[in-house]
Amino acid sequence: MRRPLVVLCFVLVAGCASTQKPALTSGTDAEVKAPDKPPFLNPAEIVKRMEASPVSYNIEGKDSPPGGWADQLWPQRVPSREAPRVVTEQGEFVILDWPEHPEARALLDEAEPHFQAKRYAEAAKLYEQATRVCPDCYLAWNFRGDAAYFAGDAATALEHYQKATRINPNDHRSWFFLGNAFARLGRFDEALDSWAWCLVLNPRYPIIRQFFRANAGLGLVVREDAIVPRGYAERAGQGVTVQFDPDHDPSWLAFANCKALWLGEPAHRQEMTGTDKEHYTTVEEMECLGSALIVHAGQKQKGETERSDPTLDRLASITDDGMLMQAVLFEVGARIHPQVVLTLDEDVRQRLKAYVLKHVLVPASAVGGYDL
């Protein structure tokens, strides 16, 4: 029996149990580092290139979806692997499926009815057998931790979750469970560190977001997205349509113009990335978000703040901290490839962790009125 995801999110007094679902197929690598490139264009330079182009650019005012055009701009293109195993092939990190162990799997399945019936001691015996026959089955260690956690033994659960993270440090769920055990034991600094790693490894993991909404007493929140695009561009015949929401910050028109330029002018993509092949690149997102931020700052300087977008204020703060690249990777790259961080080296992961602790997983008292 497989443990359904819907039962996982409980308040801290109950905790969250592990899940096991079939693994998905592998995906492709995603670019996250900008190559050497010319300077970014400013909004006026972008408009000048559009005006000089033989491509037809048509600007339309249009209501944006409630969450902006993020889903349209950055749809998921790479499926996730349920139990990821990261290996190095030809100098690059590649995500594979964690190998199954049939005997251990049979024991986990046998234990599941006991766990669901809250017979944690009986389940724990079978989970222990699973870890004996397969000491490297990190999911079995997580399940063992769950049995101890739900039985009220957070200290033992902690040991098992730590074992799981040592065997496979690339599964975000193990870090989430570890954080819960630390919190149950009152070790909140270590809990915060573990939860941060969970978000680094899977920035859009919904369970941890639900967890903090359900446990307001912890005094922490996972902030909503800072990149909520109210501008969009798409091909229309031989031309490009530039769409922006007139009810929102006019800065998003500059963003949409930039996205249109990247669609309509292969020479610009070639100039900035070294290839005219269309693919996700942080260079494009940095240039287009930077264009919006330039206009946003100019509007504020002139006192024209009637339709000012508070998410752009937050993005400007992130940029001032030198973390716009991390925000793009965390919010945009992870939409396209949910496990993109698993393909990155430790230095990038550490910078992302610093970003998470500074701008994502923060004290509730630090959150402004525009977060949900």
Side-chain angles (χ1 to χ4, degrees):
M1 178 181 291
R2 306 297 175 106
R3 196 169 304 165
L5 186 64
V6 71
V7 304
L8 294 187
C9 192
F10 296 93
V11 294
L12 186 60
V13 294
C16 289
S18 307
T19 59
Q20 175 73 12
K21 298 177 73 174
L24 301 177
T25 58
S26 64
T28 58
D29 294 333
E31 177 196 4
V32 295
K33 291 185 179 179
D36 292 338
K37 54 177 173 43
F40 293 142
L41 299 181
N42 63 40
E45 291 168 332
I46 289 171
V47 170
K48 185 176 180 180
R49 289 200 183 188
M50 293 169 69
E51 290 175 343
S53 173
V55 176
S56 175
Y57 293 96
N58 299 307
I59 299 176
E60 298 179 0
K62 185 176 180 179
D63 291 339
S64 59
W69 274 295
D71 288 341
Q72 290 77 11
L73 286 165
W74 308 300
Q76 182 175 341
R77 297 173 185 167
V78 181
S80 299
R81 291 184 181 270
E82 183 66 21
R85 174 174 172 248
V86 179
V87 300
T88 303
E89 294 183 358
Q90 298 181 340
E92 295 184 349
F93 294 120
V94 177
I95 308 171
L96 305 176
D97 292 315
W98 196 268
E100 278 276 12
H101 189 287
E103 187 177 354
R105 166 50 55 196
L107 289 164
L108 297 182
D109 290 344
E110 184 182 350
E112 188 67 16
H114 293 294
F115 186 91
Q116 295 294 340
K118 301 183 180 181
R119 297 189 295 269
Y120 301 124
E122 290 84 349
K125 293 175 185 176
L126 292 165
Y127 294 148
E128 183 181 3
Q129 291 181 46
T131 58
R132 281 206 305 268
V133 300
C134 181
D136 289 334
C137 287
Y138 78 96
L139 289 172
W141 287 101
N142 273 336
F143 284 129
R144 233 181 126 172
D146 289 344
Y149 188 93
F150 280 85
D153 188 353
T156 298
L158 179 70
E159 294 177 3
H160 296 328
Y161 293 144
Q162 287 175 322
K163 179 72 172 180
T165 59
R166 286 194 295 270
I167 295 171
N168 182 11
N170 292 301
D171 192 322
H172 62 281
R173 296 168 300 182
S174 301
W175 292 100
F176 176 56
F177 304 142
L178 183 62
N180 295 348
F182 275 128
R184 178 70 69 82
L185 294 168
R187 296 165 62 175
F188 292 106
D189 287 345
E190 292 157 294
L192 179 62
D193 186 82
S194 299
W195 289 326
W197 275 120
C198 170
L199 284 165
V200 167
L201 296 175
N202 192 329
R204 307 202 71 78
Y205 183 44
I207 298 298
I208 194 170
R209 296 167 187 271
Q210 296 167 12
F211 174 78
F212 284 109
R213 291 191 191 105
N215 291 280
L218 289 170
L220 293 170
V221 295
V222 179
R223 300 192 72 171
E224 300 295 324
D225 290 339
I227 302 174
V228 186
R230 302 294 177 175
Y232 178 59
E234 63 182 353
R235 287 192 175 86
Q238 298 299 311
V240 177
T241 299
V242 182
Q243 301 174 8
F244 77 103
D245 191 331
D247 293 328
H248 286 270
D249 197 311
S251 307
W252 289 114
L253 176 57
F255 172 85
N257 282 339
C258 177
K259 298 297 286 186
L261 186 76
W262 278 79
L263 279 178
E265 310 297 327
H268 181 66
R269 185 179 292 274
Q270 177 78 40
E271 177 186 16
M272 299 300 287
T273 69
T275 177
D276 61 5
K277 179 183 177 182
E278 290 188 17
H279 63 290
Y280 164 72
T281 165
T282 55
V283 178
E284 176 181 349
E285 309 309 335
M286 295 276 284
E287 182 171 56
C288 294
L289 289 169
S291 190
L293 289 170
I294 289 171
V295 174
H296 182 70
Q299 295 285 112
K300 293 193 73 173
Q301 287 176 354
K302 292 186 289 186
E304 298 174 0
T305 59
E306 181 180 350
R307 288 178 292 159
S308 184
D309 189 336
T311 63
L312 284 173
D313 288 335
R314 183 173 162 218
L315 198 59
S317 176
I318 290 168
T319 303
D320 289 343
D321 286 338
M323 292 181 166
L324 181 58
M325 175 71 80
Q326 284 71 44
V328 168
L329 178 57
F330 188 85
E331 294 195 18
V332 177
R335 282 180 176 273
I336 297 166
H337 184 347
Q339 293 175 321
V340 63
V341 178
L342 303 191
T343 68
L344 307 179
D345 60 31
E346 182 65 18
D347 183 58
V348 178
R349 294 187 187 197
Q350 289 290 345
R351 290 199 298 271
L352 267 175
K353 182 185 174 188
Y355 168 75
V356 166
L357 291 171
K358 176 77 172 180
H359 290 286
V360 180
L361 181 58
V362 298
S365 59
V367 173
Y370 47 84
D371 274 76
L372 298 179

